[in-house]
Amino acid sequence: MNFPILSTLIFLPLISSFFILLSKDKTTNISSISISLFSSVATFFLSLFLWYSLDINTSEFQFVEEKSWINNYIKFKLGVDGISILFIVLTTFITPICIISCINSVKIRVKEFLIAILILETFMIGVFCSLDLVIFYLFFEAGLIPMFLIIGVWGGSRRVYSAFKFFLFTLLGSVLMLVAIIVIYWLTGTTDITQIYEIQIPKEYQNILWLAFLSSFAVKMPMWPVHTWLPDAHVEAPTAGSVILAAILLKMAGYGFLRFSIPMFPLASEYFTPLIYTLSIIAIIYTSLVALMQDDMKKLIAYSSVAHMGYVTLGIFTLTKQGIDGSIYQMISHGLISAALFLCVGVVYDRLHSRMISTYGGLVNYVPKYSFLFLIFALAALGLPGTSGFLGEFLVLAGTFQKSFLAAMLATFGVVLGAAYMLWLTKRVIFGVTNNSEIKKINDINKSEVVMLVTLAFFILFFGLYPLPLMETFNVSVNSLINNYEIALNTN
Amino acid sequence: MINNLYIMFPEIFLSLSIFFTLMVGVFIKKSFNLIFNLTSLIIIVTISIILTNPNNEEKIFLDSFIRDPFSNYFKILILLSTLFVLNSSKNFIIDNKLDKFEYPIIILLSILGMFFMVSSNDLILFYLGLELQSLSLYILASIDRDNLKSTESGVKYFVLSALSSGLLLYGCSLLYGFTGSTNFELIADQLNRENTGAVFAMVFILVGLAFKVSAVPFHMWTPDVYEGAPTSITSYFAVVPKVAGLALLIKFMFVPFSNILLEWQTIIIFISIASMILGAVAAMIQTNFKRLLAYSSIGHIGYALAGVATGAITGYQSTIVYISIYVIMNIGAFSCLYFLKKDGQYKENISDLSGISKKHPLLAISLLIILFSLAGVPPLGGFFAKFYVFVAVLEKEMYALAIIGLITTVMSAFYYLKIIKTIYFDDSIITFEPTKNRTAQFSVIASCTILITFFLYPSILNNLVNTLFVS
C-alpha cells in the first residue's frame, strides 16, 4: 500500500480548515458550513473505506507509514489495528454531527468555530493513528488548544474558569507522561511502540513509568479523584464541544491504557490492578450518587460519563477477554450515547436557554418526537438490553466476576444507581407536570436535528442488537493483547 | 598576517562601517533614515561575509581570537535577529521621536562587542567584548532621555551591570592568578578540583554571566529595564544580548571549566531551577505586557540553562536549539506590540489586548500561536525546544530538574493562557489604528509560520547545531 491513506485522513480536516479560513462569507456562513460538512463527511467515508479494507484476521498494524522525523531516531510512524480503527471511525462519525449541530446552536464566529472543530478532528485522528510515543504525545496535547478555545470563546457564563481548569489539569497530568516517554527512550533507544513491545522494560522502572502514564490518562479519562474538571468543562462548553469532549476526548485515555500501559508495562499493570479497581468502583458509585443530586442536565450527564468511564477502566484492568471486549464496546457505545444526550440537551437549550431540570417537565405533551428520541437515549445510557449500552456493561461485569467478586458486586450496584438517575431525569424532564408556560410554545425538533439524533439512535439500537461488526473488528487484536500480556507475566 | 585579517574580516568590516556611518551621521543632517537603511545593509553584508568565508576552526593573535562553526552560528543568529528586531521597530522609533542617527550605530557597536564575545578564546578579549556590548546597552536603555522611566532603567541597568562586570573582572584576575594564563585552553589544562582559588574564580565569573543573561538570583534589573526602556530597545534586549550571553556561558563551560564540571554543575542547576520557578510565579501577577515578557524570558533562560546543566554536548546543543527558537518566538511577540497603536501612543498593558480577536483577528491569531508556543504546547515550535532540553536532561538522569521544569511549564502556561483569555474571551474595549507596518507584519508572519511548520521537519536546527561541536 503506497498511498499514505492515514496521513490523508489526518490532514484532510486540517487542509479543509485552511480553505474555510480563505472563504469569504460575511453573514450567512453557508460556504464555511458546506466546506466543513463536505470535508468531514469525506473523512468519514475515507475512514469507512479504511475499516472495510482492514484485515481483521491479524493483530499486526496495517497501513503503516514511516518517515524519519527527529534526527532519524524518532520516526513519524502511523498505523492502525482492529482497536484503533473503531475509534477513528467514531471520531470521523461524530465530527459531522457536531458540525450539523452548530448550525442551530452556534451564533457567533461560526467560521472560527468550524475551523477549531476541524483542527481538533485532525489531532484526534492523529492520537488514534500514532505508533510512536512522541507523535502520540504531540497529538494528545495539541488537542488542548482548540478545545480550550471552544470552551472559552463559545462557552457559557463560567467559561473562563472551566477552560483554564480543563487546560491546566490536563497539561499537568501529561507532563509526567512526557518525562516517562523520554525515560523510555533512554531505556530502550526507541519511541516506536512496535519495537518497545518486543523489548521488556526493566522491572524496576515499570511501576514508576506506569504511574506517570496513569497521571495523564487518569486526568483525561477522567478517573476519581481527578475528574472534577469534567463537569465544569461540560457544563460551560457549547453543545458541539461537550459532544466531542464526551464522545472522543475521554476515549483517548482508555485507548491509551490499551495501547501503551498494558502492552508496555504488563508487570506494573498486574501490580496496580487493585488500585484501578478501587478507583473505578469509587468512580462508579460515588459519581452516580453525585449525579442523582444534580439539578443541571449537562452536569448530570457529565457525572454519568465519569461513572461509565469507571466501567471502562474496570473492564480494561480485569485483563480478561470479556473485560477488555466490554470496555472497548462500552467506549464506542458511550461515545454514541453521551453524544446523543448532550445533543438532546443542546436542542432544548437552544429553545429555552436553560439547562436546569426544573425548567422543564412534561415535554412529551408538546414535543413528542424529541421525547421519544430522548427516551431511547436515556434507556441506552442506563444499559437497557437491546441498546449498545447494555452489551458493554454486561461484558465488563462478566469479566470482573472472573477476577473479583466484590468489585463485580459493587459495580453491579452502580448499574442500579445508573438506572435511578437516568430514569429520574427522564421523569422530571420528559414526563411530569408542566409548570413553565414557555414550554408550550417550543417547536419540535427540526430537520437537521432529526438527522443527527435519528442517525445516533439507529446506531445505538443497531449495535445493541447486532454487535458482530464491532466485535469481529477488534477480536484478534484483543486476543493478541491478552496473549502478550500473559506471556510477559509468565516469563517473569 | 594578511590571512589573519581574512579570518576576522567580519569584525573588521563591521568596525569600519561603524566609523563610516558615524561620519555620515555627523555630516548629513536628518540622516536617520539613511543610516537606518545603511545599518540594515551592513548587517546583510556581514551575514554574507560570514557565510561565504570558510567555516573551519582557526585561531589567531596568539590563540586569543577563534573563528569556528560555533562562533559563526551565533554571529549569524545575532545578526539575523538584530535585522528583524530593528526593522520591525522602525515605525515605533519614528513615532516616539527616537530617530536619532546614533540609535542604529550603537546597536551595531553592541553587535561588534558580541562578535568579540562569541569569538573570544582569551579572558582579556572576552572582557573587552563584553564591556563594549554592555556600554552600548546602557546607552540604549536610556536612549529616550526625556522619559523618566527610560533614564531610570538605564541608570539602574548601568549600576547593577557595572557591579556584575566588576565581579566578572575580579573572577578573571583570580583565574589568571591561579592558572597563570588568560587563554581558555591553557586555563582548562590548569584547572582541577584541587585548585580551590580557581574554582572560586569560576563562581565569580558565573555570577557575572548569570547577570548578563538575567538568570535568578541576578535578574532584578530585567523587569525594570524591560518596562522602562522603549519597546524597540526592549525587544533588542530580550533577544540579542541573551543569545550572546548564553553563547559565552556555553563556551566557558565547554572550554575553560570543562574539568571542574561537578563544581559548576550544582550552581547551574540551582540557577536554572530558581529561574524557572521565579519566571513562572512572578509573571502571573503582571499587568504590563513587557514586564510579563521579562519574567517569561527569565523562565526561558532557566530552561535553556537546564540544557547547560547537563554538562554534556547534547545538553549544550539542546540549549542552542532552545535559544534559537526562543529568539523566533520573542521577535514575533514583540513585533505584535507594534500594532497596538492608539492616538499616537503604543499600548503595553495586557488589558489593552482585551477582545482584539474581534477587531484584529489576524493579530489575535498570531499572538495566540506565539503565546501557546512560548507555553510549550505541541505541536508548535516552543514544544520542541523544551522537548530537546528535557531529552538531554533525562539522558543524564537528572529527574528532579526535568520534573520541576515540566511543572513550571504548567505554571507558566497559566499566565500565557491569561493573555489568551484577554484576547479571545473578553469583550473588546479598544480598537487600534490600522498601522501600515510591513516589516513588523513580516516578522510576525515569519515567526508564526516557522512556529507552526516546525513540526514538519523538527530536526532542521539539530542538524545545524550538531556540526558546531565537532572539535
Side-chain angles (χ1 to χ4, degrees), chain A residues 137 141 168 171-183, chain B residues 273 276-277 280 303 306 375-376 383 386-391 393-394 398-413:
Chain A
Y137 182 81
E141 285 295 274
L168 294 176
L171 191 66
L172 187 64
S174 11
V175 288
L176 288 178
M177 181 165 80
L178 182 61
V179 175
I181 289 172
I182 300 173
V183 171
Chain B
I273 290 179
M276 291 191 288
I277 292 177
Y303 296 110
F383 164 71
K386 289 210 168 79
F387 179 73
Y388 294 134
V389 167
F390 289 119
V391 167
V393 167
L394 286 169
M398 298 154 95
Y399 297 114
L401 183 60
I403 289 172
I404 293 174
L406 284 166
I407 287 172
T408 53
T409 308
V410 180
M411 287 158 72
S412 57

Side-chain angles (χ1 to χ4, degrees), chain A residues 296-434:
Chain A
D296 180 321
M297 286 199 273
K298 267 190 158 179
K299 224 168 192 165
L300 190 147
I301 302 168
Y303 277 111
S304 86
S305 289
V306 181
H308 281 124
M309 290 297 112
Y311 288 106
V312 172
T313 44
L314 188 67
I316 290 173
F317 281 90
T318 59
L319 293 158
T320 56
K321 172 82 172 118
Q322 285 81 6
I324 293 180
D325 276 0
S327 296
I328 298 172
Y329 211 85
Q330 172 81 340
M331 282 195 267
I332 302 290
S333 91
H334 178 260
L336 300 172
I337 296 168
S338 64
L341 283 172
F342 278 117
L343 285 171
C344 280
V345 177
V347 166
V348 282
Y349 181 79
D350 289 339
R351 287 164 175 71
L352 288 184
H353 301 285
S354 166
R355 293 183 304 260
M356 291 299 146
I357 297 172
S358 54
T359 316
Y360 302 95
L363 280 178
V364 69
N365 299 320
Y366 307 101
V367 280
K369 279 188 269 178
Y370 171 81
S371 308
F372 174 65
L373 288 166
F374 189 97
L375 196 65
I376 293 180
F377 301 135
L379 292 176
L382 64 85
L384 190 79
T387 62
S388 60
F390 167 71
L391 251 142
E393 277 177 14
F394 175 76
L395 284 172
V396 168
L397 292 174
T400 318
F401 265 112
Q402 296 174 31
K403 288 289 167 120
S404 158
F405 185 72
L406 181 68
M409 276 283 291
L410 292 167
T412 318
F413 182 59
V415 177
V416 180
L417 287 174
Y421 61 72
M422 268 341 280
L423 287 177
W424 198 28
L425 173 75
T426 320
K427 189 232 144 201
R428 284 179 293 172
V429 174
I430 302 294
F431 304 108
V433 199
T434 315

Side-chain angles (χ1 to χ4, degrees), chain B residues 18-32 34-35 101-102 105:
Chain B
I18 289 168
F19 295 136
F20 174 69
T21 41
L22 204 56
M23 286 302 126
V24 172
V26 171
F27 286 107
I28 300 177
K29 291 260 183 301
K30 300 235 178 241
S31 55
F32 174 76
L34 175 68
I35 291 195
F101 75 90
E102 293 93 341
I105 299 178

